[in-house]
């Protein structure tokens, strides 16, 4: 089965290049409809039924930037289980430091370069090649093969997999096996991910004239005390915790907290403004924190920290606003999709896979929590460290090997 994917190497490269050349930048959500329309032509020509679905009313969905998703389904000759490959079509901002055109799809030294090549348009292309090779070689299979290209994974997935899951597209009665080709390496099976808690913390003070700060109350100084308490107690506490989940890299086996942003006092003026700032004591200061949670712990420490600071500082007032929360998730090692992919990797690559857990979340969270489907993993080509980096690339050999593994998985699950 997997050998049918091997002659499709050039097709795989061309497909990845074509998708990289569509700049599906998120935010704000550019070219979502365009890439879905382009993607739809491929499976439709191979006998798949295709649906384009707008996540109307989802966060960030608008007429200017509608959240479009694509689902393609091929029915076998007899009823049976459905194997679903899901990948996100959005990519993050380009950033600085590129030596190639970020949307050029350049091929060099056995690699396809460009924003999204690794994360994760190369993985989607591998899944498409695998699915096409399987249905053309084994048209009498039982069950169904689905491929989806979904929106907004890079910003939480609420205009993509979450929206679809809420409407039953990932219901276990409809879909039985899900593989998400995120870039975790071709010889690894990613069982799940850590949890996350994003929050905004605001300290509150009182405005006053900068020449007479004493009637005021500086919110930035209050926030300084919060950060100092984090440095003294919270960061050491989190660093001392270790999870039994096989999280990679090693540093992510500890609890972590990142301060994403800090804003205090007068807002920054527009570029080109040549005036001076007004002399005011800032009455508000905000930080945004990104807390990554282990499966063995809770997230109560931040609230306790704020109360400790409050007990020591007269007039200290604060507010915590939760922005986003996802619990950790991990598929069982004996789940059918896990054992099948493990056997396929061993057969195709000649070595047993490693089992890992991702440090960051991806759309498995919605398939698990909303879709109630535990039989879901991430498996795909690419090196996670390249994601969101300048000169992002995907190895052509790795994409082809992953396509061969995926094709064998389809045969193992649907030809029984």
């Amino acid at each position: 089965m997997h050998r049918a994917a091997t002659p499709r190497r050039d097709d795989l490269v061309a497909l990845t290049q074509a998708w990289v050349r569509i700049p599906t930048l998120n935010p704000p959500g550019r070219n979502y409809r365009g890439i879905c329309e382009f993607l739809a032509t491929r499976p439709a020509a191979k006998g798949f039924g295709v649906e384009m679905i707008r996540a109307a009313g989802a966060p960030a969905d608008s007429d200017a930037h509608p959240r479009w998703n694509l689902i393609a389904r091929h029915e076998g000759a007899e009823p049976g289980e459905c194997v679903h490959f899901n990948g996100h079509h959005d990519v993050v901002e380009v950033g600085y430091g590129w030596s190639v055109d970020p949307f050029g799809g350049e091929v060099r030294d056995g690699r396809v370069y460009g924003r999204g090549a690794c994360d994760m348009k190369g993985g989607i292309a591998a899944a498409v090649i695998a699915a096409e090779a399987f249905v053309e070689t084994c048209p009498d299979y039982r069950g169904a093969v689905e491929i989806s290209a979904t929106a907004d994974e890079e910003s939480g997935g609420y205009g993509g997999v979450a929206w679809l899951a809420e409407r039953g597209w990932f219901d276990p009665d409809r879909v039985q096996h899900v593989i998400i080709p995120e870039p975790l390496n071709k010889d690894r099976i990613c069982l799940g991910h850590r949890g996350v808690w994003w929050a905004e913390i605001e300290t509150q003070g009182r405005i006053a004239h900068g020449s007479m700060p004493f009637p005021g109350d500086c919110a930035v100084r209050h926030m300084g005390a919060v950060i100092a308490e984090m440095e003294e107690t919270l960061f050491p506490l989190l660093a001392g915790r270790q999870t039994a989940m096989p999280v990679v890299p090693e540093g992510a086996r500890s609890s972590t907290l990142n301060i994403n942003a800090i804003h205090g006092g007068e807002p920054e003026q527009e570029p080109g403004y040549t005036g001076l700032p007004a002399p005011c004591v800032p009455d508000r200061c905000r930080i945004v924190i990104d807390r990554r949670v282990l499966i063995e712990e809770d997230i109560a420490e931040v609230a306790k920290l704020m109360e400790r600071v409050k007990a020591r500082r007269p007039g200290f007032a604060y507010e915590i606003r939760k922005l986003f929360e996802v619990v950790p998730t991990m598929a069982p090692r004996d789940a059918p999709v896990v054992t099948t992919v493990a056997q396929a990797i061993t057969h195709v690559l000649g070595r047993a896979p490693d089992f890992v857990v991702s440090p960051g979340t991806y759309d498995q969270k919605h398939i698990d929590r909303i879709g109630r489907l535990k039989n879901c993993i991430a498996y795909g080509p690419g090196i996670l460290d390249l994601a969101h980096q300048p000169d992002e690339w995907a190895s052509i050999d790795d994409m082809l090997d992953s396509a061969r593994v995926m094709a064998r998985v389809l045969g193992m699950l649907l030809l029984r």
Side-chain angles (χ1 to χ4, degrees), residues 48 228 234 333 342 371 408 412 416:
F48 284 70
L234 185 55
R333 283 282 292 269
R408 184 167 183 83
M412 295 171 70
R416 294 181 294 184

Side-chain angles (χ1 to χ4, degrees), residues 201-204 218-232 259 262-264 285-287 305-306 309 312-313 316:
I201 299 173
E202 181 180 85
T203 51
Q204 299 160 359
C218 182
V220 172
R221 289 183 61 187
H222 285 315
M223 188 61 75
V226 171
I227 295 173
E229 182 69 15
M230 287 181 174
E231 294 286 354
E232 184 176 343
I259 300 175
I262 183 166
H263 309 275
C285 186
R286 292 176 292 112
I287 61 171
L305 179 146
M306 298 301 292
V309 177
R312 295 198 301 264
R313 292 184 69 83
F316 183 83

Side-chain angles (χ1 to χ4, degrees), residues 7 75 89 97 119 153 168 220 305 338 367:
E75 299 284 354
H89 57 61
D119 184 17
E153 189 275 344
V220 172
L305 179 146
V338 176
I367 293 168

Side-chain angles (χ1 to χ4, degrees), residues 115-140:
R115 177 56 83 224
C118 171
D119 184 17
M120 58 179 296
K121 291 178 178 179
I124 302 175
V128 168
I129 291 295
E132 290 178 354
F134 174 74
V135 300
E136 290 176 15
T137 306
C138 305
D140 296 329

Side-chain angles (χ1 to χ4, degrees), residues 74-80 138-144:
H74 190 280
E75 299 284 354
E78 298 180 35
C138 305
D140 296 329
Y141 72 93
R142 299 173 180 172

Side-chain angles (χ1 to χ4, degrees), residues 9 12-13 16 110-112 118 122-123 125-127 183-187 348-349 351 379-384 386 393-406:
R9 179 189 182 95
L12 173 60
V13 172
T16 306
R111 301 168 175 176
V112 179
C118 171
L184 274 302
N185 293 7
K186 65 182 180 182
D187 56 357
V348 173
L349 302 183
R351 56 185 181 275
Y379 169 73
I383 300 169
L384 187 60
L386 298 174
W393 54 266
S395 162
I396 297 170
D397 286 344
D398 287 355
M399 288 191 292
L400 186 60
D401 282 343
S402 291
R404 294 167 65 216
V405 169
M406 293 174 194

